[in-house]
């Protein structure tokens, strides 16, 4: 075998019950390997793949400890399957990673990754799905718009193959339909900054790209000069650009922006926010990013497009089944987060996201907190909508979704007396 002492990479494991069959599903958080499933009994073998023993030694150790007695040929076959799927920490995976990384960096276009899975890969079908979810796009634009930005979830489009029940999908479409009204026209925007949730691992708090985000209906224009300016001031900002390859939140935003602006969307700066973006660091990467963005965007007319979600709970997300009491606590926490975001209180928002014992922070905490810090002082919010629903897929779960339309700061003539508008909650 190519790997004498096989070691399993750091990957996610999800238990899946399919009828009478109990499975363990391996998921690669980097997105470089496709999901694979094994019988639940294989978990003990996966645990033992620590790079310390050959396959025969591994078989002997498992048998002598009374854990499992598996024929050597079957164990070798399982290890080969893991190797070919890219789940072993070996030369084969490193070669796979290098090839994918090299190809991604060389391409000026960030090609669609989720078309055909979470939305149609046929341009006509995608146009029809978007028109059904967001009818009359031109009527959603207004002259002299006061809209500063929006917050939207990133669920799949309704009717695109999502397994019912898909309450979260329909709830997200309803929020988007309500929020995406009164937007500025393309001629009144210099740049769209899309602040997206990054669910994949990385060392840097933020990562940008100058690649043109593509969907089956075309490509969004980028702003290479702006990216170069950020790159000069923040040498780490593109170091993990490969993270954009799996950026579901930004890809779905690209499809909606193309639909709204009918192929004439202004240039887009895509910003992925990882977990490291949450904590302010005195003079560190997070504070440097915020200060640099304020400087380079000072004279630009920016539309902020924030794509993030709130509570993600239940077996669908590898968490315990949801009780009625826990669901009530999640709703209260999510609403408190939206209120803090809408009232321009980033510190309170951060506390709401992290400060409820027993609850994981909202999945989009990094993007939500980053947006609140990047918006101009005194921004307002004229609408807050909240919904929850069951996620796509066979497993039970719960998703909290928020929709907010942000407005530009009021010109009061006295900044000390300014108070942001109180949002309406629905």
């Amino acid at each position: 075998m190519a790997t004498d002492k096989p070691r399993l990479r750091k990957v996610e494991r999800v238990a899946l019950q399919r009828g009478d069959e109990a499975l363990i599903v391996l998921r690669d958080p980097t997105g470089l390997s496709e999901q694979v499933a094994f019988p639940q009994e294989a978990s003990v073998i996966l645990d033992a793949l620590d790079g310390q023993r050959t396959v025969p030694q591994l078989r002997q150790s498992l048998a002598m400890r009374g854990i499992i007695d598996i024929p050597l040929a079957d164990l070798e076959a399982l290890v080969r399957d893991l190797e070919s799927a890219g789940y072993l920490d070996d030369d084969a995976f490193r070669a796979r990673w290098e090839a994918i990384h090299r190809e991604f960096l060389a391409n000026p276009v960030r090609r669609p990754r989720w078309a055909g899975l979470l939305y149609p890969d046929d341009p006509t079908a995608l146009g029809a799905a978007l028109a059904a979810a967001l009818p009359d796009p031109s009527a959603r634009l207004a002259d002299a718009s006061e809209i500063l930005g929006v917050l939207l979830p990133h669920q799949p489009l309704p009717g695109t193959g999502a397994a019912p029940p898909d309450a979260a999908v329909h709830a997200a479409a309803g929020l988007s339909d309500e929020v995406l009204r009164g937007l500025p026209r393309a001629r009144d925007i210099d740049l769209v900054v899309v602040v997206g949730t990054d669910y994949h691992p990385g060392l840097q708090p933020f990562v940008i790209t100058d690649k043109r985000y593509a969907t089956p209906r075309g490509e969004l224009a980028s702003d290479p000069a702006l990216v170069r300016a950020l790159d000069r001031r923040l040498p780490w900002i593109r170091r993990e650009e490969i993270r954009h390859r799996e950026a579901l939140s930004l890809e779905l935003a690209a499809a909606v922006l193309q639909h709204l602006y009918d192929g004439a969307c202004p240039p887009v700066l895509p910003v992925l926010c990882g977990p490291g973006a949450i904590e302010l660091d005195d003079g560190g990467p997070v504070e440097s990013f915020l200060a640099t963005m304020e400087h380079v965007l000072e004279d630009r007319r920016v539309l902020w497009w924030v794509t993030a979600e709130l509570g993600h709970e239940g077996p669908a997300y590898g968490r315990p089944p949801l009780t009625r009491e826990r669901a009530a606590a999640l709703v209260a926490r999510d609403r408190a987060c939206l209120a803090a975001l809408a009232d321009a209180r980033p510190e309170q928002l951060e506390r709401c996201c992290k400060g409820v014992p027993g609850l994981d922070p909202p999945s989009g905490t990094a993007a939500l907190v980053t947006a609140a810090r990047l918006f101009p002082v005194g921004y307002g919010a004229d609408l807050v909508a909240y919904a929850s629903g069951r996620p796509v897929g066979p497993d039970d779960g719960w998703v909290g979704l928020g929709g907010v339309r942000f407005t530009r700061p009021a010109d009061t003539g006295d900044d000390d007396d300014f108070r942001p508008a109180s949002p309406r909650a629905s």
Side-chain angles (χ1 to χ4, degrees), residues 85-217:
Y87 278 91
L88 295 184
D89 184 2
D90 58 8
D91 290 341
F93 170 73
R94 283 183 279 277
R96 173 198 292 249
W97 182 92
E98 184 177 351
I100 291 173
H101 195 239
R102 186 167 53 244
E103 188 275 337
F104 179 81
L105 293 182
N107 198 324
V109 176
R110 187 272 187 193
R111 292 196 291 258
R113 283 282 292 162
W114 303 98
L117 295 173
L118 299 181
Y119 65 93
D121 54 5
D122 176 75
T124 302
L126 176 57
L130 287 164
L134 299 169
D136 301 321
S138 62
R140 298 174 181 275
L141 309 179
D143 295 322
S145 172
E146 292 300 314
I147 300 301
L148 171 71
V150 295
L151 164 67
L152 295 168
H154 44 258
Q155 291 290 312
L157 293 174
T160 57
D166 51 2
V169 171
H170 290 290
L175 292 184
S176 298
D177 184 30
E178 184 177 2
V179 171
L180 294 177
R181 299 176 185 275
L183 297 172
R185 300 189 185 279
R187 64 172 179 262
D188 297 323
I189 307 170
D190 297 322
L191 181 73
V192 181
V193 179
V194 184
V195 180
T197 302
D198 186 8
Y199 292 112
H200 296 88
L203 299 177
Q204 305 303 332
F206 307 101
V207 58
I208 64 173
T209 183
D210 64 354
K211 297 183 185 300
R212 302 187 299 276
Y213 260 73
T215 76
R217 301 184 72 198

Side-chain angles (χ1 to χ4, degrees), residues 108-341:
V109 176
R110 187 272 187 193
R111 292 196 291 258
R113 283 282 292 162
W114 303 98
L117 295 173
L118 299 181
Y119 65 93
D121 54 5
D122 176 75
T124 302
L126 176 57
L130 287 164
L134 299 169
D136 301 321
S138 62
R140 298 174 181 275
L141 309 179
D143 295 322
S145 172
E146 292 300 314
I147 300 301
L148 171 71
V150 295
L151 164 67
L152 295 168
H154 44 258
Q155 291 290 312
L157 293 174
T160 57
D166 51 2
V169 171
H170 290 290
L175 292 184
S176 298
D177 184 30
E178 184 177 2
V179 171
L180 294 177
R181 299 176 185 275
L183 297 172
R185 300 189 185 279
R187 64 172 179 262
D188 297 323
I189 307 170
D190 297 322
L191 181 73
V192 181
V193 179
V194 184
V195 180
T197 302
D198 186 8
Y199 292 112
H200 296 88
L203 299 177
Q204 305 303 332
F206 307 101
V207 58
I208 64 173
T209 183
D210 64 354
K211 297 183 185 300
R212 302 187 299 276
Y213 260 73
T215 76
R217 301 184 72 198
E219 302 171 0
L220 290 182
S222 63
D223 191 333
L226 175 61
V227 173
R228 287 195 298 271
L230 288 166
D231 200 9
R232 285 195 302 270
R233 294 166 172 82
L234 304 167
W236 49 267
I237 195 68
R238 297 177 66 184
R239 195 170 294 162
E240 297 175 334
E241 200 167 348
I242 188 68
R243 284 159 58 181
H244 278 270
R245 182 175 179 268
E246 295 294 308
L248 165 65
S249 59
L250 300 188
E251 183 172 330
L252 290 174
V256 175
L257 282 165
Q258 284 179 329
H259 173 68
L260 290 175
Y261 289 101
D262 194 23
C265 182
V268 171
L269 175 67
V271 180
L272 274 177
C273 304
I278 299 173
E279 301 289 345
L280 279 178
D281 45 7
D282 188 13
V286 175
E287 284 200 352
S288 297
F289 173 79
L290 297 174
T292 301
M293 287 286 283
E294 181 179 8
H295 174 72
V296 299
L297 300 180
E298 184 176 11
D299 298 322
R300 294 177 183 250
R301 299 172 298 173
V302 175
L303 175 65
W304 298 90
W305 192 283
V306 186
T307 171
E309 297 182 349
L310 298 161
H312 281 203
E313 293 290 336
Y317 302 103
R319 299 184 178 117
L322 199 63
T323 63
R324 183 170 298 180
E325 293 76 13
R326 188 174 176 85
L330 281 163
V331 170
R333 191 278 311 275
D334 283 357
R335 287 184 176 275
C337 290
L338 288 174
L341 174 65

Side-chain angles (χ1 to χ4, degrees), residues 1 3-6 53-64 70-73 75-76 79:
M1 301 186 64
T3 304
D4 292 334
K5 296 181 179 180
R53 290 161 289 195
T54 65
V55 174
Q57 289 169 342
L58 177 63
R59 176 191 176 276
Q60 183 179 19
S61 173
L62 292 170
M64 290 183 63
I70 180 173
L72 179 59
L75 183 56
E76 289 176 338
V79 173

